[in-house]
Short mmCIF file of all heavy atoms in Angstrom, two decimals:
data_model
loop_
_atom_site.label_atom_id
_atom_site.label_comp_id
_atom_site.label_asym_id
_atom_site.label_seq_id
_atom_site.Cartn_x
_atom_site.Cartn_y
_atom_site.Cartn_z
N GLY A 177 14.44 -11.83 -3.59
CA GLY A 177 13.69 -11.73 -4.82
C GLY A 177 12.34 -11.07 -4.60
O GLY A 177 11.59 -11.44 -3.71
N ILE A 178 12.09 -10.06 -5.40
CA ILE A 178 10.82 -9.34 -5.32
C ILE A 178 10.18 -9.37 -6.72
O ILE A 178 10.84 -9.16 -7.73
CB ILE A 178 11.05 -7.89 -4.85
CG1 ILE A 178 11.56 -7.91 -3.42
CG2 ILE A 178 9.80 -7.09 -4.97
CD1 ILE A 178 11.84 -6.54 -2.84
N ARG A 179 8.86 -9.66 -6.74
CA ARG A 179 8.11 -9.72 -8.01
C ARG A 179 7.28 -8.44 -8.17
O ARG A 179 6.53 -8.08 -7.27
CB ARG A 179 7.20 -10.94 -8.01
CG ARG A 179 7.95 -12.24 -7.95
CD ARG A 179 7.05 -13.44 -7.78
NE ARG A 179 6.20 -13.39 -6.59
CZ ARG A 179 6.61 -13.72 -5.36
NH1 ARG A 179 7.86 -14.03 -5.10
NH2 ARG A 179 5.76 -13.69 -4.33
N HIS A 180 7.42 -7.82 -9.32
CA HIS A 180 6.66 -6.60 -9.61
C HIS A 180 5.26 -6.98 -10.07
O HIS A 180 5.09 -7.87 -10.90
CB HIS A 180 7.37 -5.78 -10.69
CG HIS A 180 6.67 -4.52 -11.05
ND1 HIS A 180 6.61 -3.44 -10.23
CD2 HIS A 180 5.93 -4.22 -12.14
CE1 HIS A 180 5.89 -2.48 -10.82
NE2 HIS A 180 5.48 -2.96 -11.97
N HIS A 181 4.23 -6.29 -9.56
CA HIS A 181 2.84 -6.61 -9.90
C HIS A 181 2.12 -5.49 -10.65
O HIS A 181 0.97 -5.69 -11.04
CB HIS A 181 2.05 -6.97 -8.64
CG HIS A 181 2.49 -8.25 -8.04
ND1 HIS A 181 2.17 -9.48 -8.55
CD2 HIS A 181 3.29 -8.51 -6.98
CE1 HIS A 181 2.69 -10.44 -7.83
NE2 HIS A 181 3.41 -9.88 -6.87
N GLY A 182 2.71 -4.34 -10.79
CA GLY A 182 2.04 -3.26 -11.52
C GLY A 182 2.15 -1.96 -10.78
O GLY A 182 2.95 -1.79 -9.85
N TYR A 183 1.33 -1.01 -11.25
CA TYR A 183 1.36 0.35 -10.71
C TYR A 183 -0.04 0.76 -10.26
O TYR A 183 -1.02 0.24 -10.76
CB TYR A 183 1.85 1.32 -11.77
CG TYR A 183 3.27 1.07 -12.21
CD1 TYR A 183 3.54 0.34 -13.35
CD2 TYR A 183 4.34 1.56 -11.45
CE1 TYR A 183 4.85 0.11 -13.75
CE2 TYR A 183 5.65 1.32 -11.85
CZ TYR A 183 5.89 0.60 -12.99
OH TYR A 183 7.18 0.35 -13.37
N THR A 184 -0.08 1.71 -9.36
CA THR A 184 -1.34 2.29 -8.92
C THR A 184 -1.10 3.78 -8.68
O THR A 184 -0.01 4.28 -8.95
CB THR A 184 -1.89 1.59 -7.66
OG1 THR A 184 -3.21 2.07 -7.40
CG2 THR A 184 -1.02 1.82 -6.44
N SER A 185 -2.09 4.48 -8.17
CA SER A 185 -1.95 5.91 -7.87
C SER A 185 -2.54 6.15 -6.48
O SER A 185 -3.19 5.31 -5.90
CB SER A 185 -2.70 6.73 -8.92
OG SER A 185 -4.09 6.49 -8.81
N PHE A 186 -2.27 7.36 -5.96
CA PHE A 186 -2.84 7.71 -4.66
C PHE A 186 -4.35 7.69 -4.72
O PHE A 186 -5.02 7.26 -3.77
CB PHE A 186 -2.35 9.11 -4.22
CG PHE A 186 -0.93 9.12 -3.74
CD1 PHE A 186 0.05 9.72 -4.47
CD2 PHE A 186 -0.59 8.54 -2.55
CE1 PHE A 186 1.37 9.75 -4.03
CE2 PHE A 186 0.72 8.53 -2.08
CZ PHE A 186 1.70 9.14 -2.83
N GLU A 187 -4.93 8.12 -5.85
CA GLU A 187 -6.39 8.15 -6.00
C GLU A 187 -6.97 6.73 -5.92
O GLU A 187 -8.01 6.52 -5.28
CB GLU A 187 -6.80 8.83 -7.32
CG GLU A 187 -6.46 10.29 -7.38
CD GLU A 187 -5.00 10.57 -7.71
OE1 GLU A 187 -4.30 9.68 -8.26
OE2 GLU A 187 -4.55 11.68 -7.42
N GLU A 188 -6.32 5.77 -6.57
CA GLU A 188 -6.80 4.40 -6.53
C GLU A 188 -6.68 3.81 -5.14
O GLU A 188 -7.56 3.06 -4.71
CB GLU A 188 -6.06 3.54 -7.55
CG GLU A 188 -6.40 3.87 -8.99
CD GLU A 188 -5.56 3.08 -9.98
OE1 GLU A 188 -4.75 2.24 -9.57
OE2 GLU A 188 -5.73 3.35 -11.20
N LEU A 189 -5.61 4.15 -4.44
CA LEU A 189 -5.45 3.66 -3.06
C LEU A 189 -6.56 4.22 -2.15
O LEU A 189 -7.08 3.50 -1.30
CB LEU A 189 -4.08 4.04 -2.50
CG LEU A 189 -2.90 3.25 -2.99
CD1 LEU A 189 -1.61 3.84 -2.43
CD2 LEU A 189 -3.02 1.78 -2.59
N GLU A 190 -6.92 5.48 -2.36
CA GLU A 190 -7.96 6.11 -1.52
C GLU A 190 -9.31 5.45 -1.73
O GLU A 190 -10.17 5.52 -0.86
CB GLU A 190 -8.04 7.61 -1.86
CG GLU A 190 -6.87 8.40 -1.36
CD GLU A 190 -6.85 9.83 -1.85
OE1 GLU A 190 -7.61 10.17 -2.78
OE2 GLU A 190 -6.05 10.61 -1.32
N GLN A 191 -9.53 4.80 -2.86
CA GLN A 191 -10.82 4.18 -3.18
C GLN A 191 -10.92 2.72 -2.73
O GLN A 191 -11.92 2.06 -2.98
CB GLN A 191 -11.10 4.28 -4.68
CG GLN A 191 -11.27 5.70 -5.14
CD GLN A 191 -11.41 5.80 -6.65
OE1 GLN A 191 -11.38 4.82 -7.36
NE2 GLN A 191 -11.51 7.03 -7.14
N ARG A 192 -9.89 2.21 -2.03
CA ARG A 192 -9.92 0.85 -1.53
C ARG A 192 -11.05 0.64 -0.53
O ARG A 192 -11.51 1.58 0.11
CB ARG A 192 -8.60 0.51 -0.84
CG ARG A 192 -7.43 0.39 -1.78
CD ARG A 192 -6.16 0.14 -1.04
NE ARG A 192 -6.25 -1.07 -0.24
CZ ARG A 192 -5.26 -1.90 -0.04
NH1 ARG A 192 -4.09 -1.64 -0.58
NH2 ARG A 192 -5.39 -2.96 0.69
N ASP A 193 -11.46 -0.60 -0.36
CA ASP A 193 -12.50 -0.94 0.58
C ASP A 193 -12.06 -0.69 2.04
O ASP A 193 -12.81 -0.22 2.86
CB ASP A 193 -12.95 -2.39 0.45
CG ASP A 193 -13.69 -2.64 -0.84
OD1 ASP A 193 -14.27 -1.70 -1.38
OD2 ASP A 193 -13.66 -3.79 -1.32
N ASP A 194 -10.81 -1.01 2.34
CA ASP A 194 -10.28 -0.84 3.70
C ASP A 194 -9.66 0.55 3.80
O ASP A 194 -8.48 0.76 3.53
CB ASP A 194 -9.24 -1.92 3.99
CG ASP A 194 -8.80 -1.96 5.43
OD1 ASP A 194 -9.08 -0.98 6.17
OD2 ASP A 194 -8.20 -2.94 5.83
N LYS A 195 -10.48 1.53 4.20
CA LYS A 195 -10.04 2.94 4.26
C LYS A 195 -8.92 3.15 5.26
O LYS A 195 -8.02 3.97 5.01
CB LYS A 195 -11.24 3.85 4.59
CG LYS A 195 -12.38 3.78 3.61
CD LYS A 195 -12.00 4.36 2.28
CE LYS A 195 -13.21 4.34 1.35
NZ LYS A 195 -12.87 4.62 -0.01
N ASP A 196 -8.96 2.47 6.40
CA ASP A 196 -7.90 2.65 7.40
C ASP A 196 -6.55 2.19 6.87
O ASP A 196 -5.55 2.86 7.04
CB ASP A 196 -8.23 1.88 8.70
CG ASP A 196 -9.41 2.47 9.42
OD1 ASP A 196 -9.65 3.71 9.29
OD2 ASP A 196 -10.11 1.72 10.13
N LYS A 197 -6.52 1.04 6.22
CA LYS A 197 -5.28 0.51 5.65
C LYS A 197 -4.77 1.46 4.55
O LYS A 197 -3.59 1.71 4.44
CB LYS A 197 -5.50 -0.88 5.10
CG LYS A 197 -4.25 -1.62 4.77
CD LYS A 197 -4.57 -3.03 4.34
CE LYS A 197 -3.50 -3.98 4.79
NZ LYS A 197 -3.84 -5.36 4.48
N ALA A 198 -5.69 1.98 3.73
CA ALA A 198 -5.32 2.90 2.66
C ALA A 198 -4.68 4.16 3.24
O ALA A 198 -3.68 4.65 2.73
CB ALA A 198 -6.53 3.25 1.81
N ARG A 199 -5.25 4.69 4.33
CA ARG A 199 -4.67 5.90 4.97
C ARG A 199 -3.28 5.64 5.50
O ARG A 199 -2.40 6.49 5.40
CB ARG A 199 -5.59 6.38 6.10
CG ARG A 199 -6.75 7.17 5.62
CD ARG A 199 -7.52 7.82 6.77
NE ARG A 199 -8.94 7.71 6.46
CZ ARG A 199 -9.82 6.99 7.13
NH1 ARG A 199 -9.47 6.34 8.21
NH2 ARG A 199 -11.06 6.95 6.74
N ILE A 200 -3.06 4.46 6.06
CA ILE A 200 -1.73 4.10 6.60
C ILE A 200 -0.72 4.02 5.44
O ILE A 200 0.37 4.56 5.54
CB ILE A 200 -1.79 2.74 7.35
CG1 ILE A 200 -2.57 2.91 8.64
CG2 ILE A 200 -0.39 2.22 7.63
CD1 ILE A 200 -2.93 1.59 9.32
N ILE A 201 -1.10 3.35 4.35
CA ILE A 201 -0.21 3.22 3.20
C ILE A 201 0.12 4.60 2.64
O ILE A 201 1.30 4.90 2.40
CB ILE A 201 -0.85 2.33 2.11
CG1 ILE A 201 -1.00 0.90 2.64
CG2 ILE A 201 -0.02 2.36 0.82
CD1 ILE A 201 -1.86 0.01 1.76
N ILE A 202 -0.87 5.43 2.42
CA ILE A 202 -0.65 6.77 1.85
C ILE A 202 0.23 7.61 2.76
O ILE A 202 1.14 8.30 2.30
CB ILE A 202 -2.00 7.45 1.55
CG1 ILE A 202 -2.69 6.72 0.39
CG2 ILE A 202 -1.81 8.92 1.23
CD1 ILE A 202 -4.15 7.10 0.20
N SER A 203 -0.02 7.56 4.06
CA SER A 203 0.77 8.33 5.01
C SER A 203 2.24 7.94 4.97
O SER A 203 3.13 8.78 4.91
CB SER A 203 0.20 8.11 6.43
OG SER A 203 1.04 8.73 7.39
N LYS A 204 2.53 6.63 4.96
CA LYS A 204 3.91 6.16 4.92
C LYS A 204 4.57 6.51 3.58
O LYS A 204 5.72 6.86 3.54
CB LYS A 204 3.98 4.65 5.16
CG LYS A 204 3.72 4.30 6.60
CD LYS A 204 3.89 2.79 6.81
CE LYS A 204 3.60 2.44 8.26
NZ LYS A 204 3.81 1.01 8.51
N LEU A 205 3.81 6.40 2.48
CA LEU A 205 4.37 6.75 1.18
C LEU A 205 4.74 8.23 1.11
O LEU A 205 5.80 8.58 0.57
CB LEU A 205 3.38 6.41 0.07
CG LEU A 205 3.23 4.93 -0.27
CD1 LEU A 205 2.06 4.72 -1.22
CD2 LEU A 205 4.50 4.38 -0.85
N LYS A 206 3.88 9.09 1.64
CA LYS A 206 4.16 10.53 1.60
C LYS A 206 5.33 10.88 2.54
O LYS A 206 6.11 11.78 2.24
CB LYS A 206 2.92 11.33 1.99
CG LYS A 206 1.88 11.31 0.89
CD LYS A 206 0.67 12.13 1.23
CE LYS A 206 -0.33 12.16 0.06
NZ LYS A 206 -1.50 12.93 0.36
N GLU A 207 5.46 10.16 3.63
CA GLU A 207 6.53 10.43 4.60
C GLU A 207 7.88 9.88 4.16
O GLU A 207 8.89 10.57 4.23
CB GLU A 207 6.16 9.82 5.95
CG GLU A 207 7.17 10.05 7.04
CD GLU A 207 6.78 9.35 8.35
OE1 GLU A 207 5.58 9.14 8.58
OE2 GLU A 207 7.71 9.04 9.11
N LYS A 208 7.91 8.62 3.70
CA LYS A 208 9.17 7.94 3.44
C LYS A 208 9.38 7.53 1.97
O LYS A 208 10.47 7.14 1.61
CB LYS A 208 9.29 6.69 4.30
CG LYS A 208 9.25 7.00 5.76
CD LYS A 208 9.32 5.74 6.59
CE LYS A 208 9.29 6.11 8.07
NZ LYS A 208 9.38 4.94 8.92
N GLY A 209 8.33 7.55 1.18
CA GLY A 209 8.43 7.13 -0.21
C GLY A 209 8.30 5.62 -0.42
O GLY A 209 8.30 5.14 -1.54
N ILE A 210 8.18 4.87 0.69
CA ILE A 210 8.00 3.42 0.60
C ILE A 210 7.14 2.96 1.78
O ILE A 210 7.16 3.56 2.83
CB ILE A 210 9.35 2.67 0.58
CG1 ILE A 210 9.14 1.20 0.20
CG2 ILE A 210 10.09 2.85 1.87
CD1 ILE A 210 10.40 0.47 -0.15
N CYS A 211 6.38 1.90 1.56
CA CYS A 211 5.57 1.30 2.62
C CYS A 211 5.67 -0.22 2.45
O CYS A 211 5.44 -0.73 1.37
CB CYS A 211 4.12 1.75 2.51
SG CYS A 211 3.04 0.98 3.73
N VAL A 212 6.03 -0.90 3.52
CA VAL A 212 6.16 -2.34 3.49
C VAL A 212 5.15 -2.93 4.47
O VAL A 212 5.19 -2.61 5.66
CB VAL A 212 7.59 -2.79 3.87
CG1 VAL A 212 7.71 -4.30 3.82
CG2 VAL A 212 8.61 -2.13 2.95
N LEU A 213 4.27 -3.78 3.99
CA LEU A 213 3.26 -4.43 4.84
C LEU A 213 3.43 -5.94 4.78
O LEU A 213 3.50 -6.50 3.70
CB LEU A 213 1.86 -4.08 4.38
CG LEU A 213 1.49 -2.58 4.39
CD1 LEU A 213 0.10 -2.40 3.78
CD2 LEU A 213 1.50 -2.06 5.82
N PRO A 214 3.53 -6.60 5.92
CA PRO A 214 3.65 -8.06 5.93
C PRO A 214 2.39 -8.72 5.41
O PRO A 214 1.28 -8.18 5.59
CB PRO A 214 3.91 -8.41 7.38
CG PRO A 214 3.37 -7.25 8.16
CD PRO A 214 3.47 -6.06 7.28
N ILE A 215 2.53 -9.88 4.79
CA ILE A 215 1.39 -10.67 4.35
C ILE A 215 1.11 -11.67 5.47
O ILE A 215 1.98 -12.47 5.83
CB ILE A 215 1.69 -11.40 3.02
CG1 ILE A 215 1.96 -10.38 1.93
CG2 ILE A 215 0.54 -12.33 2.66
CD1 ILE A 215 2.44 -10.99 0.62
N LYS A 216 -0.09 -11.62 5.99
CA LYS A 216 -0.47 -12.49 7.12
C LYS A 216 -0.29 -13.98 6.75
O LYS A 216 -0.73 -14.43 5.70
CB LYS A 216 -1.92 -12.22 7.49
CG LYS A 216 -2.36 -12.91 8.77
CD LYS A 216 -3.77 -12.51 9.15
CE LYS A 216 -4.17 -13.14 10.44
NZ LYS A 216 -5.47 -12.69 10.89
N GLY A 217 0.42 -14.70 7.64
CA GLY A 217 0.65 -16.13 7.42
C GLY A 217 1.74 -16.45 6.42
O GLY A 217 1.87 -17.55 5.95
N SER A 218 2.57 -15.44 6.09
CA SER A 218 3.62 -15.63 5.11
C SER A 218 4.89 -14.88 5.56
O SER A 218 4.83 -13.98 6.37
CB SER A 218 3.18 -15.05 3.76
OG SER A 218 4.22 -15.10 2.81
N VAL A 219 6.03 -15.28 5.02
CA VAL A 219 7.25 -14.55 5.28
C VAL A 219 7.46 -13.42 4.29
O VAL A 219 8.38 -12.63 4.42
CB VAL A 219 8.50 -15.49 5.25
CG1 VAL A 219 8.41 -16.50 6.38
CG2 VAL A 219 8.64 -16.18 3.92
N GLU A 220 6.60 -13.33 3.27
CA GLU A 220 6.68 -12.30 2.27
C GLU A 220 5.97 -11.03 2.71
O GLU A 220 5.22 -11.04 3.69
CB GLU A 220 6.08 -12.78 0.94
CG GLU A 220 6.86 -13.89 0.30
CD GLU A 220 6.37 -14.23 -1.09
OE1 GLU A 220 5.27 -13.77 -1.49
OE2 GLU A 220 7.10 -14.90 -1.82
#
């Protein structure tokens, strides 16, 4: 089960506080079309 939380854009991702994480997300999205990041301390 996956819960949808909304939409964003590449521009909004680039403006995040954590620039390194944003670059990783954008790079994976452009390469594969999807990016999956684990939530620390969770199985989700």
Side-chain angles (χ1 to χ4, degrees):
I178 294 180
R179 297 173 302 281
H180 180 73
H181 292 284
Y183 296 97
T184 189
S185 65
F186 285 110
E187 293 80 20
E188 289 175 4
L189 284 175
E190 289 171 347
Q191 295 174 1
R192 290 177 58 143
D193 291 334
D194 189 345
K195 301 292 182 192
D196 292 332
K197 193 176 214 176
R199 280 189 219 114
I200 291 168
I201 295 168
I202 291 168
S203 173
K204 287 184 181 182
L205 286 171
K206 287 182 177 179
E207 180 183 334
K208 299 179 181 181
I210 191 166
C211 177
V212 180
L213 299 175
I215 298 174
K216 188 175 183 175
S218 175
V219 295
E220 294 188 346

